[in-house]
Amino acid sequence: MKTISLSIAIVFILSTTWSCAQDNPYNNADFKIEDVRVTHNADLSLTVCEIDVNGKAAHTTPIKAGQLDGAPVLGYVFPTSLKPTDVGFNQTNGIVALALTSHPDFDDTPLWDENNDKIYDNDGIVWHPHWVVLHEDKRVAGGLSVKQFKKADKTVVLPPTNPGMPMYMDSPGYAVVANANTIKVIVPDYRINNQINFNYDGVTAFMKVNTSNDNLPMLGVYDVFSVASGDLSLPYKVKK
């Protein structure tokens, strides 16, 4: 119920955000969603999440800011009805989303070498996945941020693959593949508690990192470019 209520609240936020996104230099055909699909492959015990865009998927990447504070992040995002506990977090309010991101100023996947150069901290620009818990945040124009917590909070549970930041974020290392107008991510079923009956949506967005202003989130959504459903109502169901 709380997830549904949050989605409804965000509908109203998105109605004003889209007008702002029109002026964002990253708001181009590469982030205009044409279709979104999540398909379960029972033979391989895999779930494949895909977004089709009008342009070339994953072609546009952020321009480097040169520092962590204010670093730009672009994302193809799958908001879901999964529970935080399904992906290794403790139970907490918010929307569990699988975000495929690119950000050249930092690397938050310390266990994975996405560009296969034997250096593990230099490939943030390579499109890669994160599980995050999103919540409503009126401090940023996009109306959403990744949920944070105090480092001393002993009730917080993160997957062992988390990047070590005080946010509900994981770096699961799933394969991300972009080809022509489609970007997809391949998720082993056991990594989502074998859940194959969840609802989802598709979103493209611009985010920024904040490390200097206590009145802003550490990772906030500043522009929403496109929403598959039009209203973030998570209407789509996994195809089997």
Side-chain angles (χ1 to χ4, degrees), residues 109-197:
T109 60
L111 296 177
W112 319 112
D113 179 19
E114 288 90 347
N115 61 5
N116 198 34
D117 65 352
K118 311 305 178 186
I119 302 172
Y120 285 75
D121 62 357
N122 69 345
D123 41 23
I125 195 170
V126 179
W127 290 92
H128 58 277
H130 290 292
W131 284 113
V132 294
V133 176
L134 300 172
H135 68 158
E136 183 181 358
D137 195 328
K138 295 180 180 179
R139 297 174 295 173
V140 290
L144 294 167
S145 69
V146 177
K147 191 171 186 177
Q148 294 174 230
F149 55 81
K150 296 184 182 299
K151 289 184 178 180
D153 189 345
K154 301 300 183 183
T155 67
V156 173
V157 176
L158 301 177
T161 47
N162 77 85
M165 301 174 182
M167 296 184 287
Y168 281 96
M169 176 183 287
D170 183 33
S171 302
Y174 309 144
V176 174
V177 180
N179 185 27
N181 72 323
T182 301
I183 187 169
K184 66 181 68 175
V185 58
I186 301 164
V187 183
D189 288 349
Y190 78 96
R191 298 288 295 275
I192 52 173
N193 197 25
N194 295 305
Q195 299 297 317
I196 59 172
N197 294 308

Side-chain angles (χ1 to χ4, degrees), residues 43-232:
D43 288 342
L44 297 177
S45 294
L46 296 173
T47 297
V48 181
C49 307
E50 303 175 78
I51 288 177
D52 294 342
V53 294
N54 181 261
K56 188 174 181 181
H59 177 69
T60 299
T61 55
I63 298 171
K64 193 170 185 177
Q67 62 183 28
L68 182 59
D69 190 33
V73 179
L74 288 170
Y76 298 90
V77 186
F78 301 87
T80 75
S81 62
L82 290 167
K83 298 176 182 178
T85 51
D86 290 329
V87 297
F89 301 123
N90 60 286
Q91 184 55 44
T92 187
N93 293 332
I95 295 178
V96 174
L98 183 57
L100 312 184
T101 67
S102 172
H103 41 74
D105 290 287
F106 63 100
D107 188 304
D108 52 8
T109 60
L111 296 177
W112 319 112
D113 179 19
E114 288 90 347
N115 61 5
N116 198 34
D117 65 352
K118 311 305 178 186
I119 302 172
Y120 285 75
D121 62 357
N122 69 345
D123 41 23
I125 195 170
V126 179
W127 290 92
H128 58 277
H130 290 292
W131 284 113
V132 294
V133 176
L134 300 172
H135 68 158
E136 183 181 358
D137 195 328
K138 295 180 180 179
R139 297 174 295 173
V140 290
L144 294 167
S145 69
V146 177
K147 191 171 186 177
Q148 294 174 230
F149 55 81
K150 296 184 182 299
K151 289 184 178 180
D153 189 345
K154 301 300 183 183
T155 67
V156 173
V157 176
L158 301 177
T161 47
N162 77 85
M165 301 174 182
M167 296 184 287
Y168 281 96
M169 176 183 287
D170 183 33
S171 302
Y174 309 144
V176 174
V177 180
N179 185 27
N181 72 323
T182 301
I183 187 169
K184 66 181 68 175
V185 58
I186 301 164
V187 183
D189 288 349
Y190 78 96
R191 298 288 295 275
I192 52 173
N193 197 25
N194 295 305
Q195 299 297 317
I196 59 172
N197 294 308
F198 57 90
N199 283 42
Y200 64 92
D201 213 325
V203 175
T204 53
F206 172 76
M207 297 161 273
K208 281 195 299 187
V209 176
N210 162 58
T211 60
S212 62
N213 188 341
D214 291 339
N215 295 318
L216 292 174
M218 183 174 294
L219 183 57
V221 177
Y222 285 79
D223 280 319
V224 176
F225 300 140
S226 187
V227 180
S229 67
D231 58 10
L232 199 61

Side-chain angles (χ1 to χ4, degrees), residues 3-15 17 95 134-137 142-144 224 231-232:
T3 297
I4 295 173
S5 299
L6 177 58
S7 297
I8 292 172
I10 292 168
V11 169
F12 297 100
I13 295 171
L14 291 178
S15 65
T17 301
I95 295 178
L134 300 172
H135 68 158
E136 183 181 358
D137 195 328
L144 294 167
V224 176
D231 58 10
L232 199 61

